[in-house]
Amino acid sequence: MEKTEHKKGFTIPIGPQHPALKEPGHFRITVDGEIVTDVDVRLGYAHRGIEKAAEARSWVQNLYLFERVCGICSHIHAMAYCLGVERLAGVEAPPRAQAIRVLVAELERIHSHLLWLGVAAHEAGFDTLFMYSWRDRETIMDVLERFSGNRVNYSANILGGVKYDLDDEFVQFMCEGLDYLETRSEYYLEVVTTDAMFLQRTQNIGVMTRSQAELLGTVGPTARASNVHRDIRYEAPYSAYKQFPISIVLDQRGDLEARFVVRIKELFESYRLIRRILEELPEGDLAARMPRKIAEGETVSRVEAPRGELFYFIKSNGSDTPERVRVRTPTICNMMSVVKLAIGHQLADVPMILAGIDPCFSCNDRMFRVHLDQSVYANVGPLKG
Amino acid sequence: MKFGTLLQDLARSAVHNPITEKYPFEVRATPARLRGRLNWDAENCIGCGLCVKDCPSQAIELIVIDKKTKQFQLFYHLNRCTFCAQCVYSCRQECLSLSRDEWELAALNQEDFHIQYEREVDEVPCVAATDPAEA
Ligand code: SF4
Ligand code: SF4
């Protein structure tokens, strides 16, 4: 969003090349001395026209297209799409397939949160933590590679179920990996809550109260760190989350430290859930048969990606290609909070605040129109940390 | 960070070999489900074309020479393939598979990426058999 009016103070353009993370986004930060007085954000550098491309591909082909919306959360995109298409077709994936989908989604959450922990620590100048967490993340990458043959785009889903089954050897390999990661996560939790230098960069920085978080429409761990009860797995359980419920991880404080704590505590919840699924893994088929043409209709499919709510709207006209697919990724919901939170902070804190929402620029770049209702943002008021 | 943990890590790293491998001199075993180059078993193919239809990146072309004698040619464009394994799942005759061992697929020429599969064993008798029919 660009504003044209003249602003007081000095404007520093940051980006579009890699403002904080290795992705494109442009920030125009107005400062008064070292203090940020205004932030403008401009997105769209990685717009790929995926929604339009989807209209020219069949239902099956689109599965692989949507898997590539995001490299980090490839599985959850495919899962959201599959759940939506299956609902339209009136097909339900067998219970074993649902459990395996959720299991992979949780493995993906672990890898995503560990990746984020490293990136955020790097932004804070704490490169030791970055190296440690990325080294440990390799454990989970190996698990995912052993499961599907691929480290990133696992392609575990097919319409109607999953491709791969769990075998004993893999389960043992995964459990060993999870045991190791659990001890490491305890250590990380201790580091982010006790390391004095790190706390200086996180404690009371970017504080967002519950009402502000609700007004700004934040989702995922960013919202949960401000004590907003927003987790699709908990609010509207889908797939195997009905059978294997999760408990929501919340924090009252709303600052950057809380966002670290919430994400690391979510790791423990994921370890617990994966073990529980393994204990009670349903027997049966891996996939149900899907028709090639999907019945006319429209549906909304919401799932909890590692970064927050992922939203798919799918419309079918009865043919073998979708009429419209709309994707909304969590980063776009959280981006406004960065714009508001940065005001009043030191310029040096801006990369940390940005990294705090765990942004993924290329997956949120999608064409849409916003009808600006200034009164909503006027109510949020200035945020100070 | 606790001092003890730091020392432990230091001691361990001092005697540990580097975690990186000396590729290409040392090649790590690939996972059993690795999805490498696509292979086609011409024996069972019935020419249904499902693999072509479902491939998200148009990496397969199937040319039907004669459906009765099961003469098909399969063109596989390696540089388009995303190794998603959808074709393997779509094929009901189980004639497609992604190789576990062939994954070093870089090449300097475009031509190396366009792979043509044909029925190898029957090639000579089949051609002979179809020739009179065509005449
Ligand atoms: S693996 Fe995927 S991309 Fe490659 S040929 Fe098969 S369907 Fe096409
Ligand atoms: S799906 Fe299988 S049987 Fe059908 S054309 Fe492709 S390889 Fe042949």
Side-chain angles (χ1 to χ4, degrees):
Chain A
M1 260 165 285
E2 265 188 295
K3 289 184 195 162
T4 42
E5 76 260 32
H6 179 72
K7 280 185 218 86
K8 236 184 105 209
F10 190 73
T11 304
I12 302 176
I14 298 184
Q17 279 86 12
H18 314 327
L21 311 134
K22 308 289 170 281
E23 279 191 282
H26 182 61
F27 291 82
R28 262 198 258 164
I29 299 173
T30 312
V31 287
D32 182 4
E34 275 292 313
I35 305 297
V36 176
T37 56
D38 196 19
V39 181
D40 277 349
V41 55
R42 189 174 171 181
L43 303 169
Y45 294 95
H47 178 75
R48 291 167 289 174
I50 283 190
E51 288 177 5
K52 191 69 194 161
E55 290 164 23
R57 285 169 168 76
S58 73
W59 293 101
V60 176
Q61 290 171 328
N62 273 327
L63 176 59
Y64 302 97
L65 183 69
F66 286 115
E67 201 172 47
R68 282 156 180 81
V69 170
C70 180
I72 300 172
C73 28
S74 63
H75 174 79
I76 201 79
H77 275 270
M79 185 170 165
Y81 174 77
C82 283
L83 289 174
V85 177
E86 283 160 16
R87 195 175 311 137
L88 276 178
V91 173
E92 203 171 330
R96 189 174 177 93
Q98 308 238 20
I100 293 176
R101 272 183 186 168
V102 165
L103 186 135
V104 181
E106 290 304 321
L107 286 174
E108 184 176 72
R109 194 179 313 278
I110 297 169
H111 115 70
S112 174
H113 281 0
L114 284 174
L115 176 126
W116 170 82
L117 178 67
V119 172
H122 172 68
E123 292 304 332
F126 193 177
D127 274 349
T128 316
L129 181 56
F130 159 60
M131 299 271 179
Y132 273 161
S133 65
W134 278 42
R135 179 194 67 187
D136 293 337
R137 175 174 162 270
E138 281 306 304
T139 317
I140 213 78
M141 301 310 281
D142 286 345
V143 170
L144 285 165
E145 190 184 38
R146 183 81 79 97
F147 174 70
S148 70
N150 222 341
R151 277 164 61 92
V152 180
N153 289 313
Y154 330 116
S155 290
N157 286 292
I158 40 169
L159 289 178
V162 289
K163 282 180 190 152
Y164 306 111
D165 204 356
L166 305 176
D167 55 47
D168 291 342
E169 197 194 338
F170 167 74
V171 168
Q172 204 201 339
F173 180 72
M174 176 167 67
C175 288
E176 281 166 17
L178 292 185
D179 290 343
Y180 168 71
L181 283 175
E182 193 155 16
T183 48
R184 294 302 299 172
S185 309
E186 276 161 17
Y187 175 61
Y188 294 142
L189 188 61
E190 193 195 321
V191 169
V192 301
T193 50
T194 54
D195 188 276
M197 302 254 248
F198 195 59
L199 286 179
Q200 278 184 0
R201 298 295 314 267
T202 58
Q203 220 163 28
N204 294 324
I205 305 282
V207 181
M208 181 163 60
T209 63
R210 182 175 176 170
S211 59
Q212 285 166 338
E214 277 172 354
L215 259 178
L216 289 166
T218 53
V219 293
T222 315
R224 293 196 282 278
S226 293
N227 203 21
V228 180
H229 294 242
R230 199 171 280 164
D231 187 332
I232 309 294
R233 297 174 292 166
Y234 175 81
E235 284 175 307
Y238 51 90
S239 198
Y241 287 111
K242 290 178 203 138
Q243 198 188 340
F244 305 103
I246 64 131
S247 43
I248 190 164
V249 180
L250 293 169
D251 202 296
Q252 312 279 342
R253 291 164 293 175
D255 58 357
L256 272 176
E257 190 196 350
R259 283 171 220 162
F260 275 92
V261 171
V262 162
R263 286 199 176 91
I264 296 178
K265 282 190 179 162
E266 270 183 19
L267 291 177
F268 294 111
E269 193 53 31
S270 295
Y271 304 141
R272 184 194 66 77
L273 195 74
I274 291 173
R275 292 199 182 107
R276 167 100 206 276
I277 292 176
L278 289 178
E279 273 168 27
E280 298 172 29
L281 190 69
E283 292 295 330
D285 292 339
L286 285 183
R289 286 215 57 162
M290 283 288 284
R292 295 194 83 80
K293 290 187 175 167
I294 304 293
E296 204 175 324
E298 49 185 60
T299 189
V300 161
S301 170
R302 295 191 306 156
V303 294
E304 185 74 14
R307 288 159 183 71
E309 177 190 348
L310 176 66
F311 174 101
Y312 268 68
F313 166 80
I314 304 167
K315 187 175 178 189
S316 167
N317 55 11
S319 71
D320 57 358
T321 54
E323 185 169 316
R324 177 87 175 95
V325 183
R326 169 87 181 97
V327 185
R328 193 193 66 192
T329 57
T331 305
I332 199 78
C333 309
N334 286 335
M335 196 50 89
M336 274 323 278
S337 74
V338 176
V339 173
K340 280 282 167 193
L341 291 178
I343 296 171
H345 283 290
Q346 302 259 343
L347 182 61
D349 285 328
V350 174
M352 271 301 272
I353 293 175
L354 176 60
I357 67 162
D358 196 359
C360 179
F361 291 99
S362 55
C363 50
N364 76 30
D365 282 349
R366 215 148 279 112
M367 175 72 192
F368 62 96
R369 285 184 66 180
V370 184
H371 299 282
L372 263 188
D373 182 0
Q374 290 292 353
S375 59
V376 174
Y377 291 112
N379 288 338
V380 181
L383 310 178
K384 288 248 160 60
Chain B
M1 197 183 296
K2 277 196 210 103
F3 202 58
T5 341
L6 193 69
L7 283 180
Q8 262 178 28
D9 262 338
L10 273 177
R12 213 178 305 133
S13 302
V15 289
H16 202 281
N17 284 333
I19 216 99
T20 45
E21 287 142 19
K22 291 194 184 99
Y23 180 83
F25 309 108
E26 246 173 59
V27 180
R28 195 176 3 165
T30 50
R33 283 172 180 166
L34 183 101
R35 302 192 293 256
R37 174 183 153 147
L38 181 73
N39 285 315
W40 182 56
D41 166 19
E43 280 308 302
N44 299 326
C45 180
I46 53 166
C48 65
L50 276 181
C51 53
V52 181
K53 227 178 183 174
D54 282 347
C55 173
S57 45
Q58 281 107 39
I60 313 176
E61 283 174 68
L62 187 82
I63 294 171
V64 181
I65 299 168
D66 185 9
K67 209 160 184 169
K68 270 199 211 114
T69 52
K70 287 194 172 183
Q71 282 212 55
F72 312 108
Q73 270 183 346
L74 190 119
F75 289 94
Y76 170 51
H77 304 285
L78 188 57
N79 51 351
R80 292 192 204 154
C81 180
T82 56
F83 309 102
C84 64
Q86 178 62 45
C87 51
V88 179
Y89 282 83
S90 293
C91 179
R92 306 216 176 110
Q93 309 300 317
E94 299 185 1
C95 33
L96 292 170
S97 60
L98 290 172
S99 159
R100 180 188 167 178
D101 307 311
E102 295 165 88
W103 52 271
E104 291 165 303
L105 302 171
L108 290 173
N109 297 313
Q110 275 281 334
E111 296 82 62
D112 298 343
F113 292 125
H114 303 299
I115 295 157
Q116 183 178 349
Y117 287 119
E118 266 172 300
R119 215 177 183 158
E120 281 162 20
V121 200
D122 296 5
E123 202 170 21
V124 181
C126 265
V127 172
T130 47
D131 269 353
E134 273 171 16

